[in-house]
Amino acid sequence: MAGLYVHFPFCAAKCIYCDFYSRVRKDWKPYVEALLREIRERSEERKGVHPTTLYFGGGTPSLLPANQLARVAEEVTTGHLFEEFTLEVNPDDVTADKAAAWREMGANRISMGVQSFNDNHLRWMRRRHTAAGAVAAFGRLRAAGFANLSLDLIFGFTGLTDEDWLHSIAQALALQPEHISCYQMMGRWADPDEDRCRQQYTLLQERLEAAGIRQYEVSNYARPGFESRHNSAYWTRAPYLGFGAGAHSFDGDRRRSWNQPDIDAYVASRPGGSETLTDREILEEKLMLSLRTVQGLSLASLSPAERATLKQTTLEELSRAGKLIVEEGRIRIPAAELFVSDAVIRRLFPD
Ligand code: SF4
């Protein structure tokens, strides 16, 4: 299942933890023109890929005037039926008018960056909304008819206690979203206490499971049937096309290309780059992506040469240590070890 991604690299302010490519500026008109041009110029590629999911991400796409977003949506969706059309939003952009316009342009899934339900933490992160603002925004999205809503949360940052964390989880669950994505703080603001981070991860797994929101990937949880199709396709190495500054495209095999990761360079149509993956990089990618999911990796999806590089002794060792389950032609990481999935997966990389 192939996907189509459109990047909107604008933010009203930069959050302290964020290293996505985005800029605090408002000259989105020339950017939208450049996007429309790129989408038209690459229409043949789309025909070859048949994308079934569409994702408007950022940055903060919700910051753009609804009519500008709608122009891009129209260009992309005309003549195409997307099963899932996700729009990333920030709570402070969600007015009743914008929510209605987003429905009108065809979005059927919203991913809202809430991050925390503690106002002190939100201020510290330099988020623009409050906890009450996020709750109100969620209500407006429901009122506009969105039946597939996802919330983003962050854990594992300095100063976050288990009590704070349980409060944020409870507030998120009270809204009854269909989906929750939850990321561990990385870099400068990460809590160095590994045990506390792990405890917060486990608390999240337990509370969401009890509420019927099941984990399907290291950072993603959904009510059955509401797993993100777009992101799930990334983990199977399905092809995708990316439009906009810094957006990547992938042919589903070994070629990846990207646009200039800079608004001005992109608007000026400066060419981006590309790479061809080696056999080793492909295998590492397959392991890294599939083993992040609760379904894990089907050994049948590997070529005989790739299977031969998986060291039986390492598989047995990890299995004996309870870090890997090998059964029915699949290998997967048990829920209790997903917190350290990266370390487990790297053990399987070829020498
Ligand atoms: S709004 Fe989103 S993309 Fe923009 S700086 Fe904050 S986290 Fe990053």
Side-chain angles (χ1 to χ4, degrees), residues 7-8 10-24 58-60 88 90 113 115 125-128 154:
H7 192 62
F8 294 89
F10 300 94
C11 289
K14 201 73 192 165
C15 307
I16 57 164
Y17 54 83
C18 178
D19 45 9
F20 286 121
Y21 175 64
S22 68
R23 290 286 174 264
V24 180
T60 314
E88 281 183 357
N90 268 355
Q115 319 311 359
M125 292 177 189
R126 303 210 191 105
R127 301 290 299 173
R128 291 175 292 146
I154 297 180

Coordinates of all heavy atoms in Angstrom, one line a residue, residues 7-8 10-24 58-60 88 90 113 115 125-128 154, ligand 1:
H7 N 4.8 17.9 2.8 CA 5.4 18.6 3.9 C 5.1 20.1 3.9 O 5.3 20.7 2.9 CB 6.9 18.3 3.9 CG 7.6 18.7 5.2 ND1 7.3 18.1 6.4 CD2 8.5 19.6 5.5 CE1 8.0 18.6 7.4 NE2 8.8 19.5 6.9
F8 N 4.7 20.6 5.1 CA 4.4 22.0 5.3 C 5.4 22.5 6.4 O 5.1 22.3 7.6 CB 3.0 22.2 5.7 CG 2.0 21.8 4.6 CD1 1.5 20.5 4.5 CD2 1.6 22.8 3.6 CE1 0.7 20.2 3.5 CE2 0.8 22.4 2.6 CZ 0.3 21.1 2.5
F10 N 6.2 25.0 8.2 CA 6.0 26.3 8.9 C 5.5 26.0 10.3 O 4.7 25.1 10.5 CB 5.0 27.1 8.2 CG 5.4 27.4 6.8 CD1 4.9 26.6 5.7 CD2 6.2 28.5 6.5 CE1 5.3 26.9 4.4 CE2 6.5 28.8 5.2 CZ 6.1 28.0 4.1
C11 N 6.0 26.8 11.3 CA 5.6 26.7 12.6 C 5.4 28.1 13.2 O 6.1 29.0 12.8 CB 6.5 25.9 13.5 SG 6.5 24.2 13.1
A12 N 4.5 28.3 14.1 CA 4.3 29.6 14.7 C 5.4 29.9 15.7 O 5.7 31.1 16.0 CB 2.9 29.6 15.4
A13 N 6.0 28.8 16.3 CA 7.1 29.0 17.2 C 7.8 27.6 17.2 O 7.2 26.6 16.9 CB 6.6 29.3 18.6
K14 N 9.1 27.6 17.7 CA 9.8 26.4 17.6 C 9.8 25.7 19.0 O 10.1 26.4 20.0 CB 11.2 26.6 17.2 CG 12.0 25.5 16.7 CD 11.5 25.0 15.3 CE 12.2 23.6 15.0 NZ 11.6 22.9 13.9
C15 N 9.3 24.5 19.1 CA 9.2 23.8 20.4 C 10.6 23.4 20.8 O 11.4 23.1 19.9 CB 8.3 22.6 20.3 SG 6.7 23.0 19.7
I16 N 10.9 23.3 22.1 CA 12.3 23.2 22.5 C 12.9 21.8 22.1 O 14.1 21.7 21.9 CB 12.5 23.3 24.0 CG1 11.7 22.3 24.8 CG2 12.3 24.7 24.5 CD1 12.1 22.2 26.2
Y17 N 12.1 20.8 21.9 CA 12.6 19.5 21.7 C 12.7 19.1 20.2 O 13.1 18.0 19.9 CB 11.7 18.5 22.4 CG 10.3 18.6 22.0 CD1 9.8 18.0 20.9 CD2 9.4 19.4 22.7 CE1 8.5 18.2 20.4 CE2 8.1 19.6 22.3 CZ 7.7 19.0 21.2 OH 6.4 19.1 20.8
C18 N 12.2 20.0 19.3 CA 11.9 19.5 17.9 C 13.1 19.7 17.0 O 13.6 20.8 16.9 CB 10.7 20.3 17.4 SG 10.3 19.9 15.7
D19 N 13.4 18.6 16.3 CA 14.4 18.8 15.2 C 13.9 18.5 13.8 O 14.7 18.2 12.9 CB 15.8 18.1 15.6 CG 15.5 16.7 16.0 OD1 14.4 16.3 16.0 OD2 16.5 16.1 16.5
F20 N 12.6 18.5 13.7 CA 12.0 18.4 12.3 C 12.4 19.7 11.6 O 12.5 20.7 12.2 CB 10.5 18.3 12.4 CG 10.0 17.0 12.8 CD1 9.2 16.9 13.9 CD2 10.3 15.8 12.1 CE1 8.7 15.7 14.4 CE2 9.8 14.6 12.6 CZ 9.0 14.5 13.7
Y21 N 12.4 19.5 10.2 CA 12.7 20.8 9.5 C 11.5 21.6 9.4 O 10.5 21.3 8.8 CB 13.2 20.5 8.1 CG 13.4 21.7 7.3 CD1 14.3 22.7 7.7 CD2 12.5 22.1 6.3 CE1 14.4 23.9 7.1 CE2 12.6 23.3 5.6 CZ 13.6 24.2 6.0 OH 13.7 25.4 5.4
S22 N 11.5 22.8 10.1 CA 10.4 23.7 10.0 C 11.0 25.1 10.4 O 12.0 25.2 11.0 CB 9.3 23.4 11.0 OG 9.7 23.5 12.3
R23 N 10.3 26.1 9.9 CA 10.8 27.5 10.1 C 9.6 28.4 10.6 O 8.5 28.1 10.2 CB 11.3 28.1 8.8 CG 12.6 27.5 8.3 CD 13.8 28.0 9.2 NE 15.0 27.3 8.9 CZ 15.5 26.3 9.5 NH1 14.9 25.7 10.5 NH2 16.7 25.7 9.1
V24 N 10.0 29.4 11.5 CA 8.9 30.3 12.0 C 8.8 31.4 11.0 O 9.6 32.4 11.0 CB 9.3 30.8 13.4 CG1 8.3 31.8 13.9 CG2 9.5 29.6 14.3
G58 N 4.2 18.1 9.0 CA 5.0 19.3 9.1 C 6.1 19.1 10.1 O 6.5 18.0 10.5
G59 N 6.6 20.3 10.7 CA 5.9 21.6 10.6 C 4.5 21.5 11.2 O 4.1 20.6 11.9
T60 N 3.7 22.5 10.8 CA 2.4 22.7 11.3 C 1.4 23.0 10.1 O 1.1 24.2 9.9 CB 2.3 23.8 12.3 OG1 3.4 23.6 13.3 CG2 1.0 23.7 13.1
E88 N -1.9 16.8 10.1 CA -1.4 17.1 11.4 C -1.8 18.5 11.8 O -1.7 19.4 11.0 CB 0.2 17.1 11.4 CG 0.8 15.7 11.4 CD 2.3 15.7 11.4 OE1 2.9 16.8 11.3 OE2 2.9 14.6 11.4
N90 N -2.0 21.5 15.3 CA -1.7 21.9 16.6 C -3.0 22.4 17.2 O -3.8 23.1 16.5 CB -0.7 23.0 16.6 CG 0.7 22.4 16.8 OD1 0.9 21.2 16.9 ND2 1.7 23.2 16.7
G113 N -1.0 17.3 17.9 CA 0.1 17.3 18.8 C -0.2 17.9 20.2 O -0.2 19.2 20.3
Q115 N 1.0 16.5 23.4 CA 2.3 16.3 24.1 C 2.2 16.2 25.6 O 2.8 15.3 26.2 CB 3.3 17.4 23.8 CG 3.4 17.9 22.3 CD 3.5 16.7 21.3 OE1 3.6 15.6 21.6 NE2 3.6 17.1 20.0
M125 N 7.9 23.5 27.2 CA 8.2 23.0 25.8 C 8.1 24.0 24.8 O 8.4 23.8 23.6 CB 7.2 21.8 25.5 CG 7.4 20.6 26.3 SD 6.1 19.4 25.8 CE 6.3 18.1 27.0
R126 N 7.5 25.2 25.2 CA 7.2 26.3 24.3 C 6.1 25.9 23.3 O 6.0 26.3 22.1 CB 8.4 26.8 23.5 CG 9.5 27.3 24.4 CD 10.3 28.4 23.8 NE 11.5 28.6 24.7 CZ 12.7 28.2 24.4 NH1 12.9 27.6 23.2 NH2 13.7 28.4 25.2
R127 N 5.2 25.1 23.8 CA 3.9 24.8 23.0 C 3.1 26.0 23.2 O 3.1 26.7 24.2 CB 3.2 23.5 23.6 CG 4.1 22.3 23.6 CD 4.3 21.8 22.2 NE 3.1 21.4 21.5 CZ 3.0 21.1 20.2 NH1 4.1 21.1 19.5 NH2 1.8 20.8 19.7
R128 N 2.2 26.2 22.2 CA 1.4 27.5 22.2 C 0.0 27.2 22.9 O -0.7 28.2 23.2 CB 1.1 27.9 20.8 CG 2.3 28.5 20.1 CD 2.0 28.8 18.7 NE 1.7 27.6 17.9 CZ 0.9 27.6 16.9 NH1 0.2 28.6 16.6 NH2 0.7 26.4 16.2
I154 N 4.3 13.0 24.8 CA 5.8 12.9 25.0 C 6.0 12.5 26.5 O 5.4 13.0 27.4 CB 6.5 14.2 24.8 CG1 6.4 14.6 23.3 CG2 8.0 14.0 25.1 CD1 7.1 15.9 23.0
Ligands
SF4_1 S1 4.9 22.6 16.2 FE1 5.6 20.5 15.7 S2 7.0 20.7 14.0 FE2 6.7 22.8 14.9 S3 8.4 23.0 16.3 FE3 6.7 22.2 17.5 S4 6.9 20.0 17.4 FE4 8.3 20.8 15.8

